[in-house]
Amino acid sequence: MHELLSPDKGGKRLLLGNEAIIRGALEANVRFVAAYPGTPSSEIIDGFARLGDEAGVEVEYSVNEKVSMESACAAAISGVRSLCSMKHVGLNVAADAFMTLAYVGVKAGMVIVTADDPSLHSSQNEQDNRYYAKMAHVPMLEPATPQEAKDMVLAAYEISEKFRIPCLLRTTTRVNHCRGVVELGDLPSSGSVQGEFQRDPFNLVVVPMVGRKLRLQLLEKEEGLRELSEASPFNRLEGSGPWGIVTSGVSALYVQDAVKELGIQDKVTVLTLGMTYPVPEGLIGRFLQSVDRVFVVEELEPYLEEGVRNTAQKLGLGLPIAGKGPQGIPQAFELDSLKVKKALGHFFGVPVEAPAPLSAPEDLPARPPNLCPGCPHRATFYSIKKIFGEEAVYPTDIGCYTLGLLPPLQMADFLICMGSSVSTAGGFARVLDRPVVAFIGDSTFFHSGMTGLVNAVTHNRNILLVILDNGTTAMTGHQPHPGVSLTPAGRMEPKVDVEQVVRGCGVQRVTVVNPLHVKKTQAALEKIREEMKEGGVSVLISRSPCPLFERRMLGTKQRVVFQVTDACDLCRDCLSQLGCPAFVWERDPAGGECVRINESLCNGCAVCAQLCDAVKPKKL
Amino acid sequence: MTTEKRTDAGVRIFFTGVGGQGTLLATRLVGEAALIQGMNVTMSEIHGMAQRGGVVESSIVAGHIASPIIADGQADVLLAFEPLEAVRALVKCHAGTTAVVNTVPIVPFTVATGQGRYPDVQGVLETLQESLAKVVALDAVALAREAGNVRAANMVVVGAFAGLQVLPIEKPVWQESVRRLLPPKLHAVNERAFALGFDAGRAVA
């Protein structure tokens, strides 16, 4: 039995925030889950994928976030409780569905998890998705701990069903990837994926006349949600001192520690908000009237601060309110208890004591993330750089291959979001007199590259799109996608073949190579470079499975490693051009310098041996 | 034993290592052991892009502390699985910090491509000894090899931390934690690695 299906009611487990969300949804009898993976949300869909069959839950790895939301809302409108989860920028992709789903609403409960990433640990921006709740008029809960995440998922289903509207659960990395003690609740004994649909076009088909009616209903629902927020157990006041603090989510934990360390427990009143849309204006008002100044502690934008100021203005209160600012709470990046302690100390005029941090020596070498040894992307980048060189512009996309940005490969010139490689390539090609070679991974191609490709074909843009087809969604942990051929059951025909899709998009010049065969790949690229002189779109599918994934799926053993022999002339091209992390530059026993391959890191891909005669295989 | 006094306020443990060293598993082992012992415990980790051969950092906060992460200067304990990362993490430490450090370097690729120089390991250890209250420096790879598998080096470091008895966790509890988190075929080798580390930590405690 999967550990998250344990019937041990009252038992305590050390769960990741994302596991607590799964458990909460299971306790709420969720039956339909859909998501596209994205850090820090991925473990939610991955966990469901592992237990779905056992638990009788339909689990869908969707092609993108918009699709996941639409898929899950169909279940909810048919009376089946559903969940979809995504990283913060995923909600941008799903925003079109989200904004109007708020109008149409749901029948069974639907929870949408948005996992924000303050400090951009694994993201391209750190947008604050709380504004989505406000923009869509959708209720929002913000947990601080794994236990609260589980409790809030259960509450979110109740709210969603009562008000027939999806409920947003807004987490941050430090909730998703925090492991804390969670007390298990009851699991429902049974449930069904089988739904029931009642035809109701004048409430479910959003043409303008329906939309107008639903818009008014949405505003009415919001009134009810405001009342709910006033009474929500997740919005609570603690203490009775004259110094007011407002906080929410993980920031509330930093406030707890900071207040204790400053020794101001008796002087503060802390308003902790767990339901942050709609904000409980009545509660905030009573709080404002009970304190003589207020400090707002929250990560990213001054979302709560705006709400508090708004309420103060309505009540005609002139007390000092602060939060974001140079001496206050930083707007960029995540908080910690020390940042909060300093800001609170400054605002309330309390001396701040903290142990002096030590400092590390300044000249330490960096250890950035890198493409793995044997990664086929490295071989693709190497060959393309050989043929297209410094002249070409290289728009890239989101996945492991974004790491091609780093030296020595440096094969990334532009990136804004999922799918931007191919669409921006079209724009670049029209305004620049340079070759344009765009990179996109297979999973990202299905996610949002196909429409850009159709666009490039339609407008006859002169680009080469390189689809880095490693047969999986590698970066986020090897999730499946429509083109996957390796499964735990062995090698299968892909459900959707990348090459057929590309041809179906109208691309005439399609080449497929295995990038680990360096000469053949470079010959194909030279031919493509010539063909590109005719104008129009070329596609190169560079196909070789992610070696980590292949070994995990097929259980194949590595047969060979490579060694640098005495024939090495120390040209260092292996280091300065290929950049495989298995290569080491060091002093040999005689005191000279040498290049060596770390055999425990070497993956046996043989790319280096095709570039240098001094590299020879060694059988394992 | 000073341990009980210390856990009244809480203990913050910062873990740092390189992708592939089992840093997160080690973190879970400490967290699980603290949970079994009945302590209030929270772990924080970073997944995703940061794991591709880069630095892996995680933390455990035990006792009456709410914040899941460790700010600069807040770590009471540093568990470093690699010496360069140990010295890089000094910013998380204060003068009273206790550290366990694996002395075997993993040279980052930036050094091979000439973008930096790996510091002298002896010098790194001296810096740590001078800056911190107590440092247990050990060749965790050699001890793991002695236990039967070099991959159990993470367990040696956890064992050394257990031996220091910063957290009031009893030895059978550690064993229970290993058994909960690892498949049965790995129990014996990991328990041996843990024991070797434990003795090294105990000697310094």
Side-chain angles (χ1 to χ4, degrees), chain A residues 43 122 174 177-179 254 256-257 260-261 335-337 355 358 360 365-367 369-370 474-475 572 575 579-581, chain B residues 12 18 42-45 47 49 52 64-67 69 71 73-74 82 85 87-88 90-91 93 106 109-110 112 117:
Chain A
E43 295 80 9
S122 208
R174 298 304 183 175
H177 287 171
C178 174
R179 211 175 267 282
Y254 305 140
Q256 277 179 39
D257 287 345
K260 209 195 295 178
E261 286 179 28
L335 301 179
D336 57 43
S337 62
L358 304 172
R367 195 188 297 275
N370 197 343
M475 176 111 267
R572 296 181 76 152
L575 297 168
C580 171
Chain B
R12 294 181 169 102
V18 178
T42 303
M43 294 171 45
S44 190
E45 41 194 81
H47 303 192
M49 190 171 229
R52 291 284 177 273
H64 301 287
I65 298 174
S67 311
I69 59 170
Q74 279 186 342
E82 203 276 347
E85 298 317 319
V87 74
R88 205 194 303 276
L90 271 177
V91 67
C93 302
I106 297 176
F109 188 70
T110 48
R117 212 178 56 79

Short mmCIF file of all heavy atoms in Angstrom, two decimals, chain A residues 43 122 174 177-179 254 256-257 260-261 335-337 355 358 360 365-367 369-370 474-475 572 575 579-581, chain B residues 12 18 42-45 47 49 52 64-67 69 71 73-74 82 85 87-88 90-91 93 106 109-110 112 117:
data_model
loop_
_atom_site.label_atom_id
_atom_site.label_comp_id
_atom_site.label_asym_id
_atom_site.label_seq_id
_atom_site.Cartn_x
_atom_site.Cartn_y
_atom_site.Cartn_z
N GLU A 43 5.72 17.07 -7.29
CA GLU A 43 5.49 15.87 -6.47
C GLU A 43 4.00 15.60 -6.25
O GLU A 43 3.63 14.51 -5.84
CB GLU A 43 6.20 15.97 -5.12
CG GLU A 43 7.71 16.02 -5.20
CD GLU A 43 8.25 17.39 -5.56
OE1 GLU A 43 7.46 18.35 -5.59
OE2 GLU A 43 9.46 17.49 -5.83
N SER A 122 13.77 27.63 -8.97
CA SER A 122 13.71 26.81 -10.18
C SER A 122 12.70 27.39 -11.16
O SER A 122 11.89 26.67 -11.72
CB SER A 122 13.32 25.38 -9.77
OG SER A 122 13.84 24.45 -10.69
N ARG A 174 8.62 26.92 0.08
CA ARG A 174 8.92 26.50 1.45
C ARG A 174 7.76 25.78 2.11
O ARG A 174 7.88 25.34 3.26
CB ARG A 174 9.36 27.69 2.28
CG ARG A 174 10.62 28.34 1.77
CD ARG A 174 11.78 27.37 1.65
NE ARG A 174 13.00 28.04 1.21
CZ ARG A 174 14.17 27.43 1.12
NH1 ARG A 174 14.29 26.14 1.38
NH2 ARG A 174 15.22 28.11 0.72
N HIS A 177 8.03 22.13 -0.47
CA HIS A 177 9.23 21.32 -0.26
C HIS A 177 9.70 21.34 1.18
O HIS A 177 10.87 21.14 1.46
CB HIS A 177 10.34 21.78 -1.21
CG HIS A 177 10.07 21.37 -2.62
ND1 HIS A 177 10.81 21.79 -3.69
CD2 HIS A 177 9.13 20.54 -3.12
CE1 HIS A 177 10.31 21.26 -4.80
NE2 HIS A 177 9.29 20.50 -4.47
N CYS A 178 8.77 21.61 2.06
CA CYS A 178 9.07 21.51 3.49
C CYS A 178 8.46 20.19 3.95
O CYS A 178 7.40 19.80 3.49
CB CYS A 178 8.43 22.68 4.20
SG CYS A 178 8.58 22.57 5.97
N ARG A 179 9.17 19.49 4.83
CA ARG A 179 8.65 18.25 5.37
C ARG A 179 8.33 18.50 6.84
O ARG A 179 9.19 18.94 7.60
CB ARG A 179 9.72 17.17 5.24
CG ARG A 179 9.23 15.78 5.04
CD ARG A 179 10.40 14.85 4.79
NE ARG A 179 10.70 14.69 3.38
CZ ARG A 179 10.01 13.90 2.55
NH1 ARG A 179 9.00 13.21 3.02
NH2 ARG A 179 10.34 13.81 1.29
N TYR A 254 7.92 32.88 10.22
CA TYR A 254 9.05 33.77 10.50
C TYR A 254 8.66 34.80 11.57
O TYR A 254 9.46 35.16 12.43
CB TYR A 254 9.52 34.47 9.21
CG TYR A 254 9.86 33.52 8.08
CD1 TYR A 254 9.52 33.81 6.77
CD2 TYR A 254 10.52 32.32 8.34
CE1 TYR A 254 9.82 32.94 5.73
CE2 TYR A 254 10.83 31.45 7.30
CZ TYR A 254 10.47 31.76 5.99
OH TYR A 254 10.76 30.90 4.97
N GLN A 256 6.46 34.36 13.96
CA GLN A 256 6.43 33.68 15.28
C GLN A 256 7.82 33.67 15.91
O GLN A 256 7.98 34.01 17.08
CB GLN A 256 5.97 32.23 15.10
CG GLN A 256 4.48 32.04 15.04
CD GLN A 256 4.14 30.55 14.85
OE1 GLN A 256 4.78 29.68 15.42
NE2 GLN A 256 3.14 30.27 14.03
N ASP A 257 8.82 33.26 15.14
CA ASP A 257 10.18 33.17 15.69
C ASP A 257 10.74 34.56 15.99
O ASP A 257 11.38 34.77 17.03
CB ASP A 257 11.12 32.47 14.70
CG ASP A 257 10.85 30.97 14.63
OD1 ASP A 257 10.15 30.46 15.53
OD2 ASP A 257 11.33 30.33 13.68
N LYS A 260 9.27 36.10 19.14
CA LYS A 260 9.81 35.43 20.32
C LYS A 260 11.25 35.89 20.59
O LYS A 260 11.62 36.23 21.71
CB LYS A 260 9.77 33.92 20.10
CG LYS A 260 9.63 33.14 21.40
CD LYS A 260 9.95 31.67 21.26
CE LYS A 260 9.01 30.89 20.37
NZ LYS A 260 9.42 29.47 20.27
N GLU A 261 12.05 35.93 19.52
CA GLU A 261 13.46 36.29 19.71
C GLU A 261 13.63 37.76 20.12
O GLU A 261 14.57 38.10 20.84
CB GLU A 261 14.26 35.99 18.44
CG GLU A 261 14.50 34.49 18.27
CD GLU A 261 15.27 34.17 17.00
OE1 GLU A 261 16.06 35.03 16.55
OE2 GLU A 261 15.08 33.06 16.46
N LEU A 335 11.67 35.39 2.32
CA LEU A 335 12.04 35.93 3.63
C LEU A 335 12.68 34.83 4.47
O LEU A 335 12.70 33.66 4.11
CB LEU A 335 10.80 36.48 4.34
CG LEU A 335 10.05 37.58 3.60
CD1 LEU A 335 8.83 38.00 4.42
CD2 LEU A 335 10.95 38.76 3.31
N ASP A 336 13.21 35.21 5.62
CA ASP A 336 13.57 34.26 6.66
C ASP A 336 13.36 34.97 7.99
O ASP A 336 13.02 36.16 8.02
CB ASP A 336 15.01 33.75 6.47
CG ASP A 336 16.05 34.85 6.45
OD1 ASP A 336 15.96 35.78 7.28
OD2 ASP A 336 16.97 34.80 5.59
N SER A 337 13.55 34.26 9.09
CA SER A 337 13.20 34.86 10.37
C SER A 337 14.12 36.03 10.72
O SER A 337 13.73 36.94 11.43
CB SER A 337 13.20 33.81 11.49
OG SER A 337 14.49 33.27 11.65
N PRO A 355 23.25 36.36 16.20
CA PRO A 355 24.65 35.96 16.10
C PRO A 355 25.25 36.46 14.78
O PRO A 355 24.57 36.44 13.74
CB PRO A 355 24.59 34.43 16.14
CG PRO A 355 23.16 34.05 15.96
CD PRO A 355 22.32 35.25 16.27
N LEU A 358 29.26 34.22 9.91
CA LEU A 358 30.65 34.15 9.47
C LEU A 358 30.65 34.40 7.96
O LEU A 358 29.62 34.35 7.31
CB LEU A 358 31.22 32.79 9.80
CG LEU A 358 31.13 32.40 11.28
CD1 LEU A 358 31.55 30.95 11.47
CD2 LEU A 358 32.00 33.32 12.12
N ALA A 360 32.38 33.40 4.14
CA ALA A 360 33.17 32.43 3.39
C ALA A 360 34.24 33.19 2.62
O ALA A 360 34.03 34.35 2.27
CB ALA A 360 32.26 31.67 2.43
N PRO A 365 35.49 28.55 -6.03
CA PRO A 365 34.95 28.26 -7.37
C PRO A 365 33.45 27.97 -7.29
O PRO A 365 32.97 27.36 -6.33
CB PRO A 365 35.73 27.02 -7.80
CG PRO A 365 36.23 26.40 -6.53
CD PRO A 365 36.40 27.51 -5.54
N ALA A 366 32.72 28.41 -8.30
CA ALA A 366 31.26 28.18 -8.34
C ALA A 366 30.97 26.72 -8.66
O ALA A 366 31.82 26.00 -9.19
CB ALA A 366 30.64 29.08 -9.39
N ARG A 367 29.78 26.28 -8.28
CA ARG A 367 29.36 24.92 -8.62
C ARG A 367 27.94 25.02 -9.20
O ARG A 367 26.96 24.69 -8.54
CB ARG A 367 29.39 24.02 -7.39
CG ARG A 367 29.33 22.53 -7.72
CD ARG A 367 29.15 21.68 -6.47
NE ARG A 367 30.23 21.74 -5.50
CZ ARG A 367 31.33 21.00 -5.54
NH1 ARG A 367 31.51 20.13 -6.50
NH2 ARG A 367 32.24 21.12 -4.59
N PRO A 369 24.61 24.21 -11.56
CA PRO A 369 24.07 22.97 -12.12
C PRO A 369 24.58 22.79 -13.54
O PRO A 369 24.94 23.76 -14.21
CB PRO A 369 22.56 23.18 -12.09
CG PRO A 369 22.36 24.65 -11.92
CD PRO A 369 23.58 25.19 -11.27
N ASN A 370 24.62 21.57 -14.03
CA ASN A 370 25.25 21.27 -15.31
C ASN A 370 24.48 20.13 -15.97
O ASN A 370 23.84 19.34 -15.29
CB ASN A 370 26.70 20.83 -15.02
CG ASN A 370 27.57 20.90 -16.25
OD1 ASN A 370 27.09 20.97 -17.37
ND2 ASN A 370 28.87 20.87 -16.02
N ALA A 474 12.49 15.59 -18.50
CA ALA A 474 13.60 15.22 -17.63
C ALA A 474 13.77 16.15 -16.43
O ALA A 474 13.94 15.70 -15.31
CB ALA A 474 14.90 15.18 -18.44
N MET A 475 13.72 17.44 -16.69
CA MET A 475 14.07 18.41 -15.65
C MET A 475 13.25 18.26 -14.38
O MET A 475 13.76 18.36 -13.28
CB MET A 475 13.89 19.82 -16.21
CG MET A 475 14.13 20.91 -15.20
SD MET A 475 15.60 21.86 -15.54
CE MET A 475 16.81 21.03 -14.58
N ARG A 572 43.13 20.44 -24.53
CA ARG A 572 42.03 20.85 -23.65
C ARG A 572 40.72 21.15 -24.39
O ARG A 572 39.81 21.73 -23.80
CB ARG A 572 42.42 22.07 -22.80
CG ARG A 572 43.55 21.78 -21.85
CD ARG A 572 43.90 23.00 -21.01
NE ARG A 572 42.90 23.20 -19.95
CZ ARG A 572 43.18 23.78 -18.79
NH1 ARG A 572 44.40 24.19 -18.53
NH2 ARG A 572 42.25 23.94 -17.88
N LEU A 575 37.65 20.00 -22.63
CA LEU A 575 37.17 20.84 -21.53
C LEU A 575 36.57 22.14 -22.04
O LEU A 575 35.53 22.59 -21.58
CB LEU A 575 38.34 21.17 -20.58
CG LEU A 575 38.97 19.97 -19.87
CD1 LEU A 575 40.28 20.37 -19.22
CD2 LEU A 575 38.01 19.42 -18.84
N GLY A 579 32.80 20.21 -22.57
CA GLY A 579 32.36 20.53 -21.21
C GLY A 579 31.64 19.41 -20.49
O GLY A 579 30.71 19.67 -19.72
N CYS A 580 32.05 18.17 -20.72
CA CYS A 580 31.43 17.06 -19.98
C CYS A 580 32.00 17.06 -18.56
O CYS A 580 33.22 17.07 -18.38
CB CYS A 580 31.73 15.74 -20.67
SG CYS A 580 31.22 14.32 -19.68
N PRO A 581 31.13 17.01 -17.54
CA PRO A 581 31.63 17.10 -16.16
C PRO A 581 32.43 15.87 -15.70
O PRO A 581 33.01 15.90 -14.62
CB PRO A 581 30.36 17.27 -15.33
CG PRO A 581 29.24 16.87 -16.19
CD PRO A 581 29.68 17.00 -17.61
N ARG B 12 19.08 24.25 14.90
CA ARG B 12 18.99 24.40 13.45
C ARG B 12 20.19 23.70 12.81
O ARG B 12 21.34 24.02 13.12
CB ARG B 12 19.00 25.88 13.07
CG ARG B 12 17.76 26.65 13.55
CD ARG B 12 17.86 28.09 13.10
NE ARG B 12 16.62 28.83 13.29
CZ ARG B 12 16.43 29.69 14.30
NH1 ARG B 12 17.36 29.89 15.20
NH2 ARG B 12 15.28 30.36 14.39
N VAL B 18 26.83 17.91 -2.67
CA VAL B 18 26.78 18.00 -4.12
C VAL B 18 25.75 16.98 -4.61
O VAL B 18 25.63 15.91 -4.01
CB VAL B 18 28.18 17.70 -4.71
CG1 VAL B 18 28.14 17.74 -6.23
CG2 VAL B 18 29.19 18.70 -4.19
N THR B 42 11.00 19.99 11.49
CA THR B 42 10.64 20.46 10.15
C THR B 42 11.88 20.39 9.26
O THR B 42 12.97 20.73 9.69
CB THR B 42 10.17 21.93 10.21
OG1 THR B 42 9.09 22.02 11.12
CG2 THR B 42 9.72 22.40 8.86
N MET B 43 11.67 19.92 8.02
CA MET B 43 12.78 19.86 7.07
C MET B 43 12.45 20.75 5.88
O MET B 43 11.30 20.88 5.52
CB MET B 43 12.94 18.46 6.49
CG MET B 43 13.34 17.42 7.48
SD MET B 43 13.23 15.80 6.67
CE MET B 43 13.99 16.14 5.11
N SER B 44 13.49 21.28 5.28
CA SER B 44 13.26 22.06 4.08
C SER B 44 14.29 21.68 3.03
O SER B 44 15.46 21.48 3.35
CB SER B 44 13.36 23.55 4.40
OG SER B 44 12.91 24.28 3.30
N GLU B 45 13.86 21.53 1.81
CA GLU B 45 14.77 21.12 0.75
C GLU B 45 14.41 21.85 -0.55
O GLU B 45 13.34 22.43 -0.66
CB GLU B 45 14.69 19.60 0.55
CG GLU B 45 13.28 19.05 0.62
CD GLU B 45 13.23 17.53 0.77
OE1 GLU B 45 13.40 17.00 1.88
OE2 GLU B 45 12.99 16.89 -0.25
N HIS B 47 14.25 21.26 -4.72
CA HIS B 47 14.30 20.28 -5.81
C HIS B 47 14.46 21.00 -7.15
O HIS B 47 14.52 22.21 -7.20
CB HIS B 47 13.01 19.46 -5.87
CG HIS B 47 12.67 18.76 -4.60
ND1 HIS B 47 11.70 17.80 -4.54
CD2 HIS B 47 13.16 18.86 -3.35
CE1 HIS B 47 11.60 17.35 -3.31
NE2 HIS B 47 12.46 17.99 -2.56
N MET B 49 15.84 22.32 -10.72
CA MET B 49 17.04 22.68 -11.47
C MET B 49 18.29 22.67 -10.58
O MET B 49 19.37 22.30 -11.02
CB MET B 49 16.86 24.07 -12.05
CG MET B 49 17.94 24.45 -13.03
SD MET B 49 17.51 25.97 -13.85
CE MET B 49 17.80 25.53 -15.55
N ARG B 52 20.84 19.54 -10.56
CA ARG B 52 21.63 19.00 -11.67
C ARG B 52 23.13 19.22 -11.46
O ARG B 52 23.71 20.12 -12.04
CB ARG B 52 21.19 19.67 -12.97
CG ARG B 52 19.80 19.29 -13.43
CD ARG B 52 19.78 17.90 -14.04
NE ARG B 52 18.44 17.48 -14.43
CZ ARG B 52 17.57 16.89 -13.62
NH1 ARG B 52 17.89 16.65 -12.36
NH2 ARG B 52 16.39 16.53 -14.05
N HIS B 64 11.45 24.11 19.42
CA HIS B 64 10.41 25.12 19.38
C HIS B 64 10.77 26.25 18.44
O HIS B 64 10.90 27.41 18.83
CB HIS B 64 10.12 25.63 20.79
CG HIS B 64 9.68 24.54 21.70
ND1 HIS B 64 8.43 23.96 21.61
CD2 HIS B 64 10.35 23.85 22.66
CE1 HIS B 64 8.35 22.99 22.51
NE2 HIS B 64 9.50 22.89 23.15
N ILE B 65 10.98 25.93 17.19
CA ILE B 65 11.26 26.92 16.16
C ILE B 65 10.25 26.70 15.04
O ILE B 65 10.02 25.56 14.63
CB ILE B 65 12.70 26.75 15.60
CG1 ILE B 65 13.72 26.97 16.73
CG2 ILE B 65 12.96 27.71 14.45
CD1 ILE B 65 15.15 26.68 16.34
N ALA B 66 9.64 27.77 14.58
CA ALA B 66 8.60 27.63 13.56
C ALA B 66 9.16 27.71 12.15
O ALA B 66 8.73 27.00 11.25
CB ALA B 66 7.53 28.70 13.76
N SER B 67 10.14 28.59 11.93
CA SER B 67 10.66 28.83 10.58
C SER B 67 11.30 27.58 9.99
O SER B 67 12.16 26.98 10.64
CB SER B 67 11.71 29.94 10.60
OG SER B 67 11.24 31.04 11.31
N ILE B 69 13.32 27.43 7.39
CA ILE B 69 14.65 27.61 6.77
C ILE B 69 15.59 28.33 7.73
O ILE B 69 15.17 28.93 8.71
CB ILE B 69 14.59 28.33 5.41
CG1 ILE B 69 13.97 29.72 5.54
CG2 ILE B 69 13.85 27.49 4.40
CD1 ILE B 69 14.12 30.56 4.29
N ALA B 71 18.44 31.13 8.33
CA ALA B 71 18.98 32.39 7.81
C ALA B 71 20.49 32.44 8.03
O ALA B 71 21.06 31.58 8.72
CB ALA B 71 18.30 33.56 8.51
N GLY B 73 23.92 32.97 9.54
CA GLY B 73 24.37 33.03 10.94
C GLY B 73 23.52 32.24 11.92
O GLY B 73 23.74 32.33 13.12
N GLN B 74 22.54 31.49 11.44
CA GLN B 74 21.62 30.81 12.36
C GLN B 74 21.89 29.33 12.58
O GLN B 74 21.29 28.72 13.47
CB GLN B 74 20.18 30.94 11.85
CG GLN B 74 19.50 32.26 12.18
CD GLN B 74 18.04 32.26 11.78
OE1 GLN B 74 17.60 31.44 10.97
NE2 GLN B 74 17.27 33.18 12.33
N GLU B 82 30.97 17.71 1.66
CA GLU B 82 32.07 18.04 0.75
C GLU B 82 32.77 19.28 1.31
O GLU B 82 32.09 20.22 1.76
CB GLU B 82 31.49 18.32 -0.65
CG GLU B 82 32.43 18.15 -1.81
CD GLU B 82 33.27 19.38 -2.08
OE1 GLU B 82 32.99 20.47 -1.54
OE2 GLU B 82 34.26 19.24 -2.81
N GLU B 85 32.02 22.89 -0.12
CA GLU B 85 30.67 23.33 0.25
C GLU B 85 30.58 23.65 1.73
O GLU B 85 29.76 24.47 2.15
CB GLU B 85 29.63 22.29 -0.18
CG GLU B 85 29.56 22.06 -1.70
CD GLU B 85 29.62 23.36 -2.51
OE1 GLU B 85 29.00 24.35 -2.11
OE2 GLU B 85 30.34 23.39 -3.53
N VAL B 87 32.94 25.17 3.49
CA VAL B 87 33.44 26.52 3.69
C VAL B 87 32.51 27.55 3.05
O VAL B 87 32.31 28.65 3.55
CB VAL B 87 34.92 26.63 3.23
CG1 VAL B 87 35.05 26.63 1.73
CG2 VAL B 87 35.60 27.84 3.82
N ARG B 88 31.86 27.15 1.94
CA ARG B 88 30.89 28.05 1.31
C ARG B 88 29.72 28.33 2.27
O ARG B 88 29.11 29.39 2.23
CB ARG B 88 30.37 27.44 0.01
CG ARG B 88 29.88 28.49 -0.99
CD ARG B 88 29.06 27.88 -2.13
NE ARG B 88 29.73 26.85 -2.91
CZ ARG B 88 30.56 27.08 -3.93
NH1 ARG B 88 30.83 28.30 -4.30
NH2 ARG B 88 31.12 26.08 -4.59
N LEU B 90 29.80 28.69 5.41
CA LEU B 90 30.15 29.42 6.64
C LEU B 90 29.20 30.58 6.92
O LEU B 90 28.95 30.94 8.06
CB LEU B 90 31.59 29.96 6.55
CG LEU B 90 32.68 29.01 7.05
CD1 LEU B 90 34.05 29.64 6.84
CD2 LEU B 90 32.48 28.66 8.52
N VAL B 91 28.66 31.16 5.85
CA VAL B 91 27.76 32.29 6.00
C VAL B 91 26.51 31.90 6.80
O VAL B 91 25.87 32.74 7.44
CB VAL B 91 27.42 32.89 4.62
CG1 VAL B 91 26.60 31.91 3.78
CG2 VAL B 91 26.70 34.21 4.74
N CYS B 93 26.70 29.96 9.35
CA CYS B 93 27.18 29.55 10.68
C CYS B 93 27.51 30.75 11.56
O CYS B 93 27.65 31.87 11.09
CB CYS B 93 28.43 28.69 10.53
SG CYS B 93 28.17 27.22 9.53
N ILE B 106 34.95 17.00 -4.07
CA ILE B 106 34.40 16.75 -5.41
C ILE B 106 34.66 18.04 -6.16
O ILE B 106 34.06 19.08 -5.86
CB ILE B 106 32.90 16.42 -5.35
CG1 ILE B 106 32.67 15.13 -4.56
CG2 ILE B 106 32.32 16.30 -6.77
CD1 ILE B 106 31.20 14.79 -4.37
N PHE B 109 33.10 21.38 -11.96
CA PHE B 109 33.55 21.42 -13.34
C PHE B 109 34.15 22.78 -13.71
O PHE B 109 35.02 22.87 -14.58
CB PHE B 109 32.40 21.08 -14.29
CG PHE B 109 32.88 20.93 -15.68
CD1 PHE B 109 33.66 19.84 -16.03
CD2 PHE B 109 32.61 21.90 -16.64
CE1 PHE B 109 34.15 19.72 -17.32
CE2 PHE B 109 33.10 21.77 -17.92
CZ PHE B 109 33.87 20.68 -18.26
N THR B 110 33.73 23.82 -13.02
CA THR B 110 34.27 25.15 -13.32
C THR B 110 35.78 25.18 -13.11
O THR B 110 36.48 25.95 -13.76
CB THR B 110 33.63 26.20 -12.41
OG1 THR B 110 33.67 25.74 -11.06
CG2 THR B 110 32.20 26.47 -12.79
N ALA B 112 37.85 22.58 -13.71
CA ALA B 112 38.44 21.92 -14.88
C ALA B 112 38.50 22.86 -16.08
O ALA B 112 39.43 22.80 -16.89
CB ALA B 112 37.64 20.67 -15.23
N ARG B 117 39.79 28.00 -8.88
CA ARG B 117 40.78 27.09 -8.33
C ARG B 117 40.19 26.44 -7.10
O ARG B 117 39.58 27.11 -6.26
CB ARG B 117 42.02 27.89 -7.95
CG ARG B 117 43.34 27.16 -8.09
CD ARG B 117 44.49 28.09 -7.72
NE ARG B 117 44.33 28.66 -6.38
CZ ARG B 117 44.60 28.02 -5.23
NH1 ARG B 117 45.07 26.79 -5.27
NH2 ARG B 117 44.42 28.60 -4.08
#
